[in-house]
Amino acid sequence: MIYLDNSATTKPNPQVLDSFTKASIGYFGNASSIHGIGMDAERLLRKSREQAASLLEVNSNEIIFTSGGTEGNNLAIKGIALEHQNRGKHIITSAVEHPSVMETCQGLEALGFEVTYLDVNESGLVEIDNLKKEMREDTILVSVMHVNNEIGTVQPIKEIGEVVRNYPKAFFHVDHVQGYGKVPLNIQECHVDLCTISGHKIHGLKGTGVLCVKQNVKLFSLAHGGGQERRIRSGTENVAGIVSLVKAMRLAKEKQSGLHKKLTSLKLVLMERLQTLDRVVINTPKIDSAPHIVNFSVRGLKPEVVIHALEDFDIFISTKSACSSKSADESAVLIACGKDRDIAISGLRVSMSYETTEEEIDYFCQKLTEVIKKLSEVMG
């Protein structure tokens, strides 16, 4: 099997699974219980929080454990909007965000908030001058992803943070789901107030994640109850899941430097091979893009047909975001980048991991060539 859909989800690392199993068995207590078993779980939870904070270079009381990227993004955006609407009701995001950001903003529009969706250039980049033009005195939140989940564009987060910090009423949220462990982000230096991370994108388990929230940032809770997680996210803590998440975060951080070098090399090989194929147009920008994602279109061929044809060779890739791949045909991200519709409806995404080898990329390119040739002949 050649798995090249790592931006949708990753294969759990055996060490992560082992940590989850051990914590599930040895620390099954409710961390809110006052007896010994509960206190053991609470101590492990506290230790995990401290380790996550150390990895992100923030304070331990700035860590909110969540179920993943979608919840983290919802909590950050809705939490700011509902808590600070007396300051203003204007939100800024980009036209190429993940559905969990786009649809959250659309939901807030229905509640009376005003949302500006920043245009991007042909590489999918937010242009700083455009952001400056759209910032207002009643802007309370700017939400921009670090790494685009479809085409891999890396946004100028530090420059965006510099702009936002000049507006005291505004907070800055970054969806770091596709970036963690692959493209470094210094939360403090970039003036990020809220940062979302998901476990299953870094060889952790589904249903685990972190929302980093600066100490001075207040959020309206979307889950009231027992007051866990700074009263921001009530509910019994998933201690075993949290332990496994922190293990995945640590392993990803340890691999980051070597992984970036390896994936950059594989990406160059892949893009060079794709450029030689008939009908293929590469959508991922050559610069300002992450090392693990390559998006391309095969003109005139439906992406799902190409995907299923490759599946016959035990090769697995994807189209668009897994969270939107069953929706309308065209990619909103490619349209926002100014691509023609025939490109936008035929986008395919290859996303690699530390397990990906050059031999796998070679085999993929070989079989893709065969698939394109065969499907083109069928079409006449």
Side-chain angles (χ1 to χ4, degrees):
M1 178 185 76
I2 297 178
Y3 182 71
L4 297 171
D5 194 17
N6 290 280
S7 286
T9 196
T10 54
K11 180 180 175 182
N13 186 297
Q15 293 182 60
V16 171
L17 290 169
D18 184 55
S19 70
F20 177 83
T21 301
K22 287 180 177 176
S24 295
I25 295 170
Y27 297 88
F28 63 86
N30 187 321
S32 296
S33 297
I34 61 171
H35 51 62
I37 294 175
M39 291 175 69
D40 285 344
E42 195 279 329
R43 278 191 288 270
L44 184 58
L45 174 63
R46 185 169 65 248
K47 182 180 178 183
S48 297
R49 195 183 306 279
E50 291 168 353
Q51 290 174 342
S54 176
L55 289 166
L56 294 173
E57 300 180 43
V58 299
N59 295 320
S60 60
N61 63 355
E62 296 178 320
I63 297 294
I64 305 297
F65 290 114
T66 69
S67 65
T70 293
E71 184 194 352
N73 287 340
N74 271 263
L75 181 54
I77 297 168
K78 291 176 182 172
I80 288 292
L82 297 175
E83 180 68 24
H84 301 281
Q85 56 187 311
N86 61 322
R87 294 183 175 192
K89 302 186 81 170
H90 180 232
I91 296 168
I92 296 176
T93 189
S94 84
V96 293
E97 298 297 312
H98 186 270
S100 63
V101 169
M102 298 294 279
E103 294 189 21
T104 297
C105 288
Q106 289 162 9
L108 288 171
E109 285 180 299
L111 296 178
F113 289 84
E114 183 183 351
V115 181
T116 297
Y117 299 91
L118 294 173
D119 291 334
V120 295
N121 65 19
E122 61 184 11
S123 296
L125 280 169
V126 167
E127 297 184 329
I128 300 301
D129 286 344
N130 287 344
L131 172 63
K132 289 178 179 178
K133 290 175 186 174
E134 298 295 345
M135 292 294 297
R136 305 185 331 209
E137 290 305 315
D138 63 339
T139 302
I140 56 170
L141 177 67
V142 175
S143 179
V144 178
M145 68 195 334
H146 186 204
V147 174
N148 185 269
N149 54 297
E150 283 193 38
I151 64 174
T153 303
V154 178
Q155 297 292 354
I157 296 301
K158 188 171 184 179
E159 290 85 347
I160 294 172
E162 291 287 353
V163 173
V164 179
R165 71 183 298 213
N166 291 321
Y167 291 78
K169 293 181 181 178
F171 298 96
F172 183 28
H173 166 245
V174 174
D175 174 351
H176 190 35
V177 167
Q178 291 293 343
Y180 185 84
K182 304 171 189 81
V183 183
L185 175 70
N186 188 305
I187 291 173
Q188 304 288 0
E189 288 183 3
C190 294
H191 310 291
V192 175
D193 297 302
L194 307 106
C195 182
T196 307
I197 294 169
S198 175
H200 78 104
K201 308 292 190 180
I202 55 172
H203 303 278
L205 304 181
K206 295 171 184 67
T208 63
V210 165
L211 176 65
C212 179
V213 183
K214 273 191 178 176
Q215 293 181 71
N216 62 336
V217 176
K218 280 190 174 184
L219 296 180
F220 185 88
S221 173
L222 305 185
H224 296 90
Q228 292 90 345
E229 300 300 303
R230 281 174 49 189
R231 306 192 70 83
I232 291 173
R233 186 191 188 256
S234 292
T236 302
E237 297 95 342
N238 175 13
V239 175
I242 289 166
V243 168
S244 73
L245 167 68
V246 175
K247 171 69 83 169
M249 290 174 66
R250 182 174 65 78
L251 292 172
K253 196 75 178 283
E254 288 174 354
K255 289 185 175 79
Q256 183 169 276
S257 179
L259 180 62
H260 191 281
K261 185 177 180 181
K262 174 188 175 180
L263 293 179
T264 298
S265 176
L266 290 177
K267 177 183 171 184
L268 289 172
V269 169
L270 176 55
M271 293 179 81
E272 286 175 3
R273 293 286 297 275
L274 289 173
Q275 285 175 340
T276 67
L277 301 184
D278 290 338
R279 295 178 178 264
V280 170
V281 176
I282 297 175
N283 300 315
T284 292
K286 290 182 179 179
I287 58 173
D288 296 320
S289 62
H292 63 297
I293 296 174
V294 175
N295 185 294
F296 62 97
S297 296
V298 184
R299 286 183 185 271
L301 298 183
K302 290 185 176 181
E304 62 270 23
V305 175
V306 176
I307 288 170
H308 292 311
L310 288 169
E311 195 173 349
D312 290 339
F313 297 106
D314 223 18
I315 299 170
F316 300 89
I317 67 170
S318 66
T319 172
K320 299 194 292 183
S321 161
C323 296
S324 62
S325 60
K326 294 180 181 177
S327 59
D329 286 344
E330 68 183 25
S331 162
V333 171
L334 294 179
I335 289 292
C337 294
K339 304 294 185 184
D340 295 337
R341 190 173 186 277
D342 64 330
I343 298 297
I345 63 173
S346 57
L348 294 160
R349 180 184 68 185
V350 168
S351 46
M352 301 173 284
S353 78
Y354 71 90
E355 294 186 319
T356 307
T357 66
E358 188 167 347
E359 289 74 23
E360 288 178 334
I361 295 301
D362 285 341
Y363 185 73
F364 161 70
C365 291
Q366 175 190 332
K367 293 305 176 185
L368 177 64
T369 303
E370 293 177 16
V371 164
I372 292 174
K373 183 178 179 182
K374 182 178 179 181
L375 293 176
S376 298
E377 289 172 351
V378 170
M379 291 178 60

